[in-house]
Amino acid sequence: MASFSLSTPINTALLLYILYLLQRILLPRTSVPAKPHSEFKASYSWMPRAHPPTLLYTTYTPRTLAPFNGLGDAEGGGRILLAIAGTVFDVTAGRSFYGPEGMYGNFAGRDASRGMAKQSFDIEMLTPIDQPLDKLEDLTPDEIENMKGWIEHFSNKYIICGQLVENDAI
Amino acid sequence: MALSDFLVTDDLTILLGLIAASVFLLYNLYKPQSLVHPILLGRQSDVGRVRNPGESAVHRNYGTGLMGRFPIRPAREVQTLNDLVRPEFDAPRTLWSTKISNPQLKQRVASFGTGLLRAGLTKDSNVLLLLNDSIEFLITDLALASHTIPSFTLSSPSLLSPVLEQHPPTAIVIDAGFLPSVLELIYESHEASHHVVIVVGEPKGKALEEASKQIKLVRWADIEAEGERGEQITTPAADPNDIFTVSFYEDTSGQLQAAQLSHQNITAGVTAVRALLPLSNPMSALDTIVSAHSLSTAFGRTVAYTALYEGTSFATLQSTQLFKVDDGPVPTGLPDLFSPRQYSLPSPTILFVRPTHIDGLVSSITRHAKDSFLYPVAWRHKLAGIMEGYSTKESLWDRLVFDNARAKVMGEGAATIRGVVVSGEPLKADLLTPSRIGLSVPFVVAHTHPLVTAPIFASHPHDLQTFAPPAGGHSDAGLAHVGPPVVNIETKLVGVDDDAIAKGDDPVGTLHVRGPVVGRILTVEEEVPAENEERWASTGHLARAQTNGSFKVWSAAK
């Protein structure tokens, strides 16, 4: 004859578990936590922990721009910036090109306008930091067009994060 | 006793084991799926990567993106205001109490426009509209726009005398019932510049004769009849960037401001308003839209033109009557919400209302729902669904408890209402959950401004996230968030604390907006725009950007 005994431990445990689940189904939890979860998997009502990071638009001089050459100085912090025609671009994402070992590493932390216009990566294209900014007066219209094309390319690919002014302008 | 004595199993164990397994599966798999995935609600706006010192980054709707172009018209051929009345749509629908189809409306607009030109108006005239919302307002507006004659509107009757002084109009279109109260003002300004007064309706008795002695008075119906005779005068189509109306309003500091709106502002506004409700069930000719925003405001105008474009029936609430034609009290709350019942309108399906209407409606529904003994369980289950992001009007608890309550409060509207957009004042956060449960339809919280034709911010229609009020006693602690910027506007906050942002706090500052839906403020000095870019317009309101891209907006305490 089959035996049905609720007092055995396993049966009691299973019964209690069933009653617990039924209680959760019929009377669901509806509490709102005081501080929202920070993961979408944890809860439907969630809030990300932090805002997306933003850069502050800063005015640079050739001296303050120079540390940003990707060598990881205390001032530069590993960011790579370069300037074309007074606009400073954050090219940290292109470390393989503009970083210390990159093909165009000469441009990091410098005013690259002349190099972009003349399509050359030589050191002679760069003006020393202590001297006034390159006025670009002797460039042909073709070279100016080329430089504008590069500005367009950089605006789409990288972030514009500042402007470049003379050393004594700040 | 040995362990095996404890672990004795029998047939009941197997039975209970099977029951436990099935209840467990039921509990875990029966969770309803959220209407919108929570990952999308964590990134509602696209944030710029760079910000100026003292400002926040530029925020745009995530769907538009930072590189995307703003949509400026609902379809390619809709360039000006008159294109919003589609001639191929010839089913009749009810506008206030008039059943009319698009071709008939276009015909009336053409007749009235011709009549106006024959009455002496030219492209350089300005026409002041002192009309309550009605089909005559729409016909006048469309007629003036078709002949590129700018119209003026006021957001409140107290602005009448400053406007008559500073911007004297060539003609005034006015409701007959309102005429006696402003005769004095009109006589004064008439001495400065002679103008025509066009009256809608029949003024009572002696007012008409007296007035005609001093000013030139014409009936609206006469102008339309005159225009029907003979040749229709046509004007070449306007450029979408031409200003077609100037909306006068009072800004947050009490100053008179003039918002110049162009055809493009309205078509872009219509595009944004169409995108407010879920795309799976867009507005169509079967809908009836009811609006609590007067046509004399930018947003109210856009809602009306959206209704015209989609071919829905349309009416406004009685509280939109700015120009009192009688001395009766203005209804508020629920009686106001049901005022369109006086028109022979189909039952409303989409509501564009204010928080006071929602407060009245939802508290009434909750009160009636409490009559049922199942109310506590029903409330708990609906709330549990909302915690999971799911809400529906056809659940078991609606059928048992809430449908009855809604029917008692709203009558026929209970079954037909399928979307609600709340704007006008900030909505309190503790009204959100009762509204979501009581109405159980897509509920959009939006923020509007008199300068902008579309809402500046609008929450996702399926957003059911619930948050506890934040600690700290901020001015916006008790407010509901208004979501991200709409599809064709970009916003930034000015005057933020850079140190606080560096620490990771939310940026809080004055809201500035830019985009095709933002009108141009009429300034006394003619400022030459510095670059090709449009300038940012300040709204005068304070706002906070939250980490998930939604905003909270409030007015600075006076």
Side-chain angles (χ1 to χ4, degrees), chain B residues 445-477:
Chain B
V445 187
H447 174 75
T448 55
H449 187 271
L451 184 57
V452 184
T453 53
I456 300 177
F457 298 111
S459 64
H460 195 290
H462 289 312
D463 180 352
L464 294 170
Q465 290 186 320
T466 318
F467 298 107
H474 306 288
S475 351
D476 59 328

PDB file of all heavy atoms in Angstrom, chain B residues 445-477:
ATOM      1  N   VAL B 445       5.644  62.093 -20.108  1.00  0.00           N
ATOM      2  CA  VAL B 445       5.800  63.336 -19.357  1.00  0.00           C
ATOM      3  C   VAL B 445       6.688  64.246 -20.198  1.00  0.00           C
ATOM      4  O   VAL B 445       7.772  63.847 -20.611  1.00  0.00           O
ATOM      5  CB  VAL B 445       6.469  63.070 -17.987  1.00  0.00           C
ATOM      6  CG1 VAL B 445       6.466  64.338 -17.160  1.00  0.00           C
ATOM      7  CG2 VAL B 445       5.744  61.972 -17.261  1.00  0.00           C
ATOM      8  N   ALA B 446       6.236  65.451 -20.476  1.00  0.00           N
ATOM      9  CA  ALA B 446       6.988  66.319 -21.381  1.00  0.00           C
ATOM     10  C   ALA B 446       7.174  67.696 -20.763  1.00  0.00           C
ATOM     11  O   ALA B 446       6.469  68.073 -19.832  1.00  0.00           O
ATOM     12  CB  ALA B 446       6.238  66.449 -22.715  1.00  0.00           C
ATOM     13  N   HIS B 447       8.115  68.436 -21.299  1.00  0.00           N
ATOM     14  CA  HIS B 447       8.355  69.803 -20.844  1.00  0.00           C
ATOM     15  C   HIS B 447       8.285  70.724 -22.048  1.00  0.00           C
ATOM     16  O   HIS B 447       8.967  70.492 -23.045  1.00  0.00           O
ATOM     17  CB  HIS B 447       9.731  69.898 -20.186  1.00  0.00           C
ATOM     18  CG  HIS B 447      10.113  71.301 -19.823  1.00  0.00           C
ATOM     19  ND1 HIS B 447       9.567  71.970 -18.755  1.00  0.00           N
ATOM     20  CD2 HIS B 447      10.955  72.177 -20.407  1.00  0.00           C
ATOM     21  CE1 HIS B 447      10.065  73.189 -18.689  1.00  0.00           C
ATOM     22  NE2 HIS B 447      10.917  73.345 -19.680  1.00  0.00           N
ATOM     23  N   THR B 448       7.447  71.750 -21.973  1.00  0.00           N
ATOM     24  CA  THR B 448       7.297  72.664 -23.109  1.00  0.00           C
ATOM     25  C   THR B 448       7.725  74.073 -22.692  1.00  0.00           C
ATOM     26  O   THR B 448       7.870  74.371 -21.521  1.00  0.00           O
ATOM     27  CB  THR B 448       5.836  72.718 -23.583  1.00  0.00           C
ATOM     28  OG1 THR B 448       5.014  73.072 -22.464  1.00  0.00           O
ATOM     29  CG2 THR B 448       5.387  71.400 -24.129  1.00  0.00           C
ATOM     30  N   HIS B 449       7.918  74.926 -23.700  1.00  0.00           N
ATOM     31  CA  HIS B 449       8.329  76.305 -23.454  1.00  0.00           C
ATOM     32  C   HIS B 449       7.692  77.166 -24.534  1.00  0.00           C
ATOM     33  O   HIS B 449       7.564  76.713 -25.673  1.00  0.00           O
ATOM     34  CB  HIS B 449       9.857  76.405 -23.517  1.00  0.00           C
ATOM     35  CG  HIS B 449      10.379  77.750 -23.121  1.00  0.00           C
ATOM     36  ND1 HIS B 449      10.553  78.772 -24.014  1.00  0.00           N
ATOM     37  CD2 HIS B 449      10.771  78.238 -21.921  1.00  0.00           C
ATOM     38  CE1 HIS B 449      11.022  79.844 -23.376  1.00  0.00           C
ATOM     39  NE2 HIS B 449      11.168  79.535 -22.113  1.00  0.00           N
ATOM     40  N   PRO B 450       7.259  78.396 -24.239  1.00  0.00           N
ATOM     41  CA  PRO B 450       6.544  79.179 -25.258  1.00  0.00           C
ATOM     42  C   PRO B 450       7.356  79.469 -26.518  1.00  0.00           C
ATOM     43  O   PRO B 450       6.788  79.799 -27.555  1.00  0.00           O
ATOM     44  CB  PRO B 450       6.226  80.497 -24.534  1.00  0.00           C
ATOM     45  CG  PRO B 450       6.312  80.198 -23.101  1.00  0.00           C
ATOM     46  CD  PRO B 450       7.280  79.088 -22.933  1.00  0.00           C
ATOM     47  N   LEU B 451       8.686  79.350 -26.444  1.00  0.00           N
ATOM     48  CA  LEU B 451       9.503  79.667 -27.618  1.00  0.00           C
ATOM     49  C   LEU B 451       9.649  78.459 -28.550  1.00  0.00           C
ATOM     50  O   LEU B 451      10.053  78.590 -29.699  1.00  0.00           O
ATOM     51  CB  LEU B 451      10.894  80.109 -27.116  1.00  0.00           C
ATOM     52  CG  LEU B 451      11.919  80.587 -28.122  1.00  0.00           C
ATOM     53  CD1 LEU B 451      11.362  81.754 -28.907  1.00  0.00           C
ATOM     54  CD2 LEU B 451      13.179  80.998 -27.396  1.00  0.00           C
ATOM     55  N   VAL B 452       9.339  77.276 -28.053  1.00  0.00           N
ATOM     56  CA  VAL B 452       9.649  76.056 -28.795  1.00  0.00           C
ATOM     57  C   VAL B 452       8.352  75.388 -29.218  1.00  0.00           C
ATOM     58  O   VAL B 452       7.454  75.197 -28.409  1.00  0.00           O
ATOM     59  CB  VAL B 452      10.480  75.088 -27.905  1.00  0.00           C
ATOM     60  CG1 VAL B 452      10.896  73.876 -28.689  1.00  0.00           C
ATOM     61  CG2 VAL B 452      11.688  75.811 -27.357  1.00  0.00           C
ATOM     62  N   THR B 453       8.263  75.012 -30.505  1.00  0.00           N
ATOM     63  CA  THR B 453       6.988  74.477 -30.998  1.00  0.00           C
ATOM     64  C   THR B 453       6.736  73.048 -30.534  1.00  0.00           C
ATOM     65  O   THR B 453       5.602  72.659 -30.336  1.00  0.00           O
ATOM     66  CB  THR B 453       6.937  74.508 -32.536  1.00  0.00           C
ATOM     67  OG1 THR B 453       8.101  73.862 -33.039  1.00  0.00           O
ATOM     68  CG2 THR B 453       6.886  75.925 -33.050  1.00  0.00           C
ATOM     69  N   ALA B 454       7.771  72.253 -30.370  1.00  0.00           N
ATOM     70  CA  ALA B 454       7.574  70.885 -29.883  1.00  0.00           C
ATOM     71  C   ALA B 454       7.928  70.882 -28.397  1.00  0.00           C
ATOM     72  O   ALA B 454       8.462  71.860 -27.891  1.00  0.00           O
ATOM     73  CB  ALA B 454       8.481  69.939 -30.649  1.00  0.00           C
ATOM     74  N   PRO B 455       7.659  69.801 -27.656  1.00  0.00           N
ATOM     75  CA  PRO B 455       8.192  69.744 -26.302  1.00  0.00           C
ATOM     76  C   PRO B 455       9.718  69.725 -26.370  1.00  0.00           C
ATOM     77  O   PRO B 455      10.296  69.219 -27.321  1.00  0.00           O
ATOM     78  CB  PRO B 455       7.672  68.414 -25.745  1.00  0.00           C
ATOM     79  CG  PRO B 455       6.624  67.971 -26.666  1.00  0.00           C
ATOM     80  CD  PRO B 455       6.873  68.610 -27.984  1.00  0.00           C
ATOM     81  N   ILE B 456      10.379  70.309 -25.361  1.00  0.00           N
ATOM     82  CA  ILE B 456      11.836  70.251 -25.348  1.00  0.00           C
ATOM     83  C   ILE B 456      12.272  68.839 -24.943  1.00  0.00           C
ATOM     84  O   ILE B 456      13.147  68.242 -25.546  1.00  0.00           O
ATOM     85  CB  ILE B 456      12.417  71.285 -24.365  1.00  0.00           C
ATOM     86  CG1 ILE B 456      12.003  72.689 -24.770  1.00  0.00           C
ATOM     87  CG2 ILE B 456      13.925  71.179 -24.299  1.00  0.00           C
ATOM     88  CD1 ILE B 456      12.475  73.764 -23.823  1.00  0.00           C
ATOM     89  N   PHE B 457      11.633  68.335 -23.893  1.00  0.00           N
ATOM     90  CA  PHE B 457      11.941  66.985 -23.411  1.00  0.00           C
ATOM     91  C   PHE B 457      10.663  66.163 -23.420  1.00  0.00           C
ATOM     92  O   PHE B 457       9.591  66.688 -23.163  1.00  0.00           O
ATOM     93  CB  PHE B 457      12.461  67.024 -21.966  1.00  0.00           C
ATOM     94  CG  PHE B 457      13.738  67.781 -21.785  1.00  0.00           C
ATOM     95  CD1 PHE B 457      13.743  68.973 -21.097  1.00  0.00           C
ATOM     96  CD2 PHE B 457      14.929  67.292 -22.286  1.00  0.00           C
ATOM     97  CE1 PHE B 457      14.922  69.678 -20.924  1.00  0.00           C
ATOM     98  CE2 PHE B 457      16.104  67.990 -22.112  1.00  0.00           C
ATOM     99  CZ  PHE B 457      16.108  69.191 -21.432  1.00  0.00           C
ATOM    100  N   ALA B 458      10.783  64.885 -23.676  1.00  0.00           N
ATOM    101  CA  ALA B 458       9.612  64.003 -23.588  1.00  0.00           C
ATOM    102  C   ALA B 458      10.103  62.620 -23.198  1.00  0.00           C
ATOM    103  O   ALA B 458      11.057  62.108 -23.786  1.00  0.00           O
ATOM    104  CB  ALA B 458       8.868  63.940 -24.922  1.00  0.00           C
ATOM    105  N   SER B 459       9.439  62.021 -22.189  1.00  0.00           N
ATOM    106  CA  SER B 459       9.913  60.718 -21.727  1.00  0.00           C
ATOM    107  C   SER B 459       9.482  59.635 -22.704  1.00  0.00           C
ATOM    108  O   SER B 459       8.568  59.815 -23.498  1.00  0.00           O
ATOM    109  CB  SER B 459       9.368  60.426 -20.332  1.00  0.00           C
ATOM    110  OG  SER B 459       7.973  60.331 -20.369  1.00  0.00           O
ATOM    111  N   HIS B 460      10.162  58.498 -22.651  1.00  0.00           N
ATOM    112  CA  HIS B 460       9.827  57.361 -23.502  1.00  0.00           C
ATOM    113  C   HIS B 460       8.426  56.892 -23.145  1.00  0.00           C
ATOM    114  O   HIS B 460       8.103  56.746 -21.980  1.00  0.00           O
ATOM    115  CB  HIS B 460      10.857  56.249 -23.254  1.00  0.00           C
ATOM    116  CG  HIS B 460      10.846  55.181 -24.286  1.00  0.00           C
ATOM    117  ND1 HIS B 460       9.802  54.283 -24.405  1.00  0.00           N
ATOM    118  CD2 HIS B 460      11.725  54.850 -25.228  1.00  0.00           C
ATOM    119  CE1 HIS B 460      10.065  53.459 -25.397  1.00  0.00           C
ATOM    120  NE2 HIS B 460      11.231  53.772 -25.908  1.00  0.00           N
ATOM    121  N   PRO B 461       7.553  56.636 -24.138  1.00  0.00           N
ATOM    122  CA  PRO B 461       6.168  56.269 -23.801  1.00  0.00           C
ATOM    123  C   PRO B 461       6.039  54.987 -22.984  1.00  0.00           C
ATOM    124  O   PRO B 461       5.073  54.808 -22.270  1.00  0.00           O
ATOM    125  CB  PRO B 461       5.494  56.124 -25.167  1.00  0.00           C
ATOM    126  CG  PRO B 461       6.596  56.010 -26.150  1.00  0.00           C
ATOM    127  CD  PRO B 461       7.757  56.720 -25.577  1.00  0.00           C
ATOM    128  N   HIS B 462       7.012  54.071 -23.096  1.00  0.00           N
ATOM    129  CA  HIS B 462       6.927  52.825 -22.332  1.00  0.00           C
ATOM    130  C   HIS B 462       7.841  52.838 -21.117  1.00  0.00           C
ATOM    131  O   HIS B 462       8.083  51.787 -20.530  1.00  0.00           O
ATOM    132  CB  HIS B 462       7.321  51.639 -23.229  1.00  0.00           C
ATOM    133  CG  HIS B 462       6.305  51.316 -24.268  1.00  0.00           C
ATOM    134  ND1 HIS B 462       4.970  51.190 -23.988  1.00  0.00           N
ATOM    135  CD2 HIS B 462       6.428  51.089 -25.592  1.00  0.00           C
ATOM    136  CE1 HIS B 462       4.318  50.895 -25.096  1.00  0.00           C
ATOM    137  NE2 HIS B 462       5.174  50.830 -26.078  1.00  0.00           N
ATOM    138  N   ASP B 463       8.351  54.018 -20.737  1.00  0.00           N
ATOM    139  CA  ASP B 463       9.241  54.095 -19.579  1.00  0.00           C
ATOM    140  C   ASP B 463       8.420  53.915 -18.313  1.00  0.00           C
ATOM    141  O   ASP B 463       7.585  54.738 -17.986  1.00  0.00           O
ATOM    142  CB  ASP B 463       9.930  55.459 -19.596  1.00  0.00           C
ATOM    143  CG  ASP B 463      10.878  55.659 -18.438  1.00  0.00           C
ATOM    144  OD1 ASP B 463      10.916  54.814 -17.528  1.00  0.00           O
ATOM    145  OD2 ASP B 463      11.583  56.677 -18.441  1.00  0.00           O
ATOM    146  N   LEU B 464       8.665  52.828 -17.570  1.00  0.00           N
ATOM    147  CA  LEU B 464       7.920  52.573 -16.332  1.00  0.00           C
ATOM    148  C   LEU B 464       8.857  52.494 -15.140  1.00  0.00           C
ATOM    149  O   LEU B 464       8.525  51.915 -14.119  1.00  0.00           O
ATOM    150  CB  LEU B 464       7.140  51.256 -16.450  1.00  0.00           C
ATOM    151  CG  LEU B 464       6.020  51.265 -17.478  1.00  0.00           C
ATOM    152  CD1 LEU B 464       5.479  49.864 -17.683  1.00  0.00           C
ATOM    153  CD2 LEU B 464       4.891  52.168 -17.026  1.00  0.00           C
ATOM    154  N   GLN B 465      10.042  53.078 -15.269  1.00  0.00           N
ATOM    155  CA  GLN B 465      10.986  52.995 -14.159  1.00  0.00           C
ATOM    156  C   GLN B 465      10.464  53.798 -12.982  1.00  0.00           C
ATOM    157  O   GLN B 465       9.917  54.884 -13.152  1.00  0.00           O
ATOM    158  CB  GLN B 465      12.336  53.555 -14.596  1.00  0.00           C
ATOM    159  CG  GLN B 465      13.043  52.673 -15.594  1.00  0.00           C
ATOM    160  CD  GLN B 465      14.433  53.174 -15.895  1.00  0.00           C
ATOM    161  OE1 GLN B 465      14.648  54.363 -16.015  1.00  0.00           O
ATOM    162  NE2 GLN B 465      15.380  52.258 -16.012  1.00  0.00           N
ATOM    163  N   THR B 466      10.667  53.251 -11.795  1.00  0.00           N
ATOM    164  CA  THR B 466      10.208  53.906 -10.572  1.00  0.00           C
ATOM    165  C   THR B 466      11.394  54.076  -9.645  1.00  0.00           C
ATOM    166  O   THR B 466      12.102  53.109  -9.369  1.00  0.00           O
ATOM    167  CB  THR B 466       9.162  53.026  -9.862  1.00  0.00           C
ATOM    168  OG1 THR B 466       8.291  52.485 -10.828  1.00  0.00           O
ATOM    169  CG2 THR B 466       8.376  53.837  -8.873  1.00  0.00           C
ATOM    170  N   PHE B 467      11.612  55.302  -9.193  1.00  0.00           N
ATOM    171  CA  PHE B 467      12.732  55.578  -8.306  1.00  0.00           C
ATOM    172  C   PHE B 467      12.218  56.196  -7.022  1.00  0.00           C
ATOM    173  O   PHE B 467      11.242  56.942  -7.030  1.00  0.00           O
ATOM    174  CB  PHE B 467      13.711  56.553  -8.961  1.00  0.00           C
ATOM    175  CG  PHE B 467      14.330  56.018 -10.218  1.00  0.00           C
ATOM    176  CD1 PHE B 467      13.943  56.505 -11.452  1.00  0.00           C
ATOM    177  CD2 PHE B 467      15.274  55.019 -10.174  1.00  0.00           C
ATOM    178  CE1 PHE B 467      14.497  56.013 -12.610  1.00  0.00           C
ATOM    179  CE2 PHE B 467      15.841  54.519 -11.319  1.00  0.00           C
ATOM    180  CZ  PHE B 467      15.445  55.018 -12.546  1.00  0.00           C
ATOM    181  N   ALA B 468      12.922  55.919  -5.899  1.00  0.00           N
ATOM    182  CA  ALA B 468      12.585  56.582  -4.651  1.00  0.00           C
ATOM    183  C   ALA B 468      13.039  58.030  -4.732  1.00  0.00           C
ATOM    184  O   ALA B 468      13.986  58.342  -5.446  1.00  0.00           O
ATOM    185  CB  ALA B 468      13.282  55.869  -3.495  1.00  0.00           C
ATOM    186  N   PRO B 469      12.371  58.955  -4.040  1.00  0.00           N
ATOM    187  CA  PRO B 469      12.816  60.352  -4.099  1.00  0.00           C
ATOM    188  C   PRO B 469      14.247  60.466  -3.567  1.00  0.00           C
ATOM    189  O   PRO B 469      14.571  59.839  -2.566  1.00  0.00           O
ATOM    190  CB  PRO B 469      11.851  61.103  -3.173  1.00  0.00           C
ATOM    191  CG  PRO B 469      10.836  60.147  -2.762  1.00  0.00           C
ATOM    192  CD  PRO B 469      11.197  58.783  -3.192  1.00  0.00           C
ATOM    193  N   PRO B 470      15.100  61.252  -4.258  1.00  0.00           N
ATOM    194  CA  PRO B 470      16.496  61.300  -3.834  1.00  0.00           C
ATOM    195  C   PRO B 470      16.622  62.033  -2.502  1.00  0.00           C
ATOM    196  O   PRO B 470      15.865  62.950  -2.210  1.00  0.00           O
ATOM    197  CB  PRO B 470      17.186  62.082  -4.953  1.00  0.00           C
ATOM    198  CG  PRO B 470      16.112  62.881  -5.585  1.00  0.00           C
ATOM    199  CD  PRO B 470      14.838  62.116  -5.410  1.00  0.00           C
ATOM    200  N   ALA B 471      17.632  61.632  -1.727  1.00  0.00           N
ATOM    201  CA  ALA B 471      17.902  62.323  -0.468  1.00  0.00           C
ATOM    202  C   ALA B 471      18.580  63.644  -0.789  1.00  0.00           C
ATOM    203  O   ALA B 471      19.191  63.802  -1.823  1.00  0.00           O
ATOM    204  CB  ALA B 471      18.807  61.454   0.395  1.00  0.00           C
ATOM    205  N   GLY B 472      18.505  64.593   0.114  1.00  0.00           N
ATOM    206  CA  GLY B 472      19.286  65.806  -0.083  1.00  0.00           C
ATOM    207  C   GLY B 472      18.466  67.059  -0.259  1.00  0.00           C
ATOM    208  O   GLY B 472      19.009  68.145  -0.265  1.00  0.00           O
ATOM    209  N   GLY B 473      17.144  66.960  -0.390  1.00  0.00           N
ATOM    210  CA  GLY B 473      16.329  68.174  -0.420  1.00  0.00           C
ATOM    211  C   GLY B 473      16.623  69.121  -1.562  1.00  0.00           C
ATOM    212  O   GLY B 473      16.590  70.339  -1.402  1.00  0.00           O
ATOM    213  N   HIS B 474      16.925  68.590  -2.771  1.00  0.00           N
ATOM    214  CA  HIS B 474      17.086  69.480  -3.924  1.00  0.00           C
ATOM    215  C   HIS B 474      15.733  70.063  -4.283  1.00  0.00           C
ATOM    216  O   HIS B 474      14.698  69.531  -3.914  1.00  0.00           O
ATOM    217  CB  HIS B 474      17.578  68.684  -5.137  1.00  0.00           C
ATOM    218  CG  HIS B 474      18.803  67.899  -4.874  1.00  0.00           C
ATOM    219  ND1 HIS B 474      20.036  68.461  -4.710  1.00  0.00           N
ATOM    220  CD2 HIS B 474      18.991  66.576  -4.778  1.00  0.00           C
ATOM    221  CE1 HIS B 474      20.915  67.522  -4.515  1.00  0.00           C
ATOM    222  NE2 HIS B 474      20.325  66.352  -4.552  1.00  0.00           N
ATOM    223  N   SER B 475      15.747  71.155  -5.076  1.00  0.00           N
ATOM    224  CA  SER B 475      14.468  71.745  -5.485  1.00  0.00           C
ATOM    225  C   SER B 475      13.689  70.797  -6.376  1.00  0.00           C
ATOM    226  O   SER B 475      12.484  70.909  -6.501  1.00  0.00           O
ATOM    227  CB  SER B 475      14.678  73.040  -6.256  1.00  0.00           C
ATOM    228  OG  SER B 475      15.990  73.442  -6.202  1.00  0.00           O
ATOM    229  N   ASP B 476      14.374  69.851  -7.017  1.00  0.00           N
ATOM    230  CA  ASP B 476      13.665  68.981  -7.952  1.00  0.00           C
ATOM    231  C   ASP B 476      13.419  67.608  -7.362  1.00  0.00           C
ATOM    232  O   ASP B 476      13.118  66.667  -8.069  1.00  0.00           O
ATOM    233  CB  ASP B 476      14.493  68.838  -9.237  1.00  0.00           C
ATOM    234  CG  ASP B 476      15.856  68.261  -8.960  1.00  0.00           C
ATOM    235  OD1 ASP B 476      16.394  68.517  -7.862  1.00  0.00           O
ATOM    236  OD2 ASP B 476      16.387  67.539  -9.816  1.00  0.00           O
ATOM    237  N   ALA B 477      13.565  67.458  -6.032  1.00  0.00           N
ATOM    238  CA  ALA B 477      13.499  66.121  -5.444  1.00  0.00           C
ATOM    239  C   ALA B 477      12.148  65.467  -5.683  1.00  0.00           C
ATOM    240  O   ALA B 477      12.059  64.265  -5.893  1.00  0.00           O
ATOM    241  CB  ALA B 477      13.786  66.194  -3.948  1.00  0.00           C
TER     242      ALA B 477
END
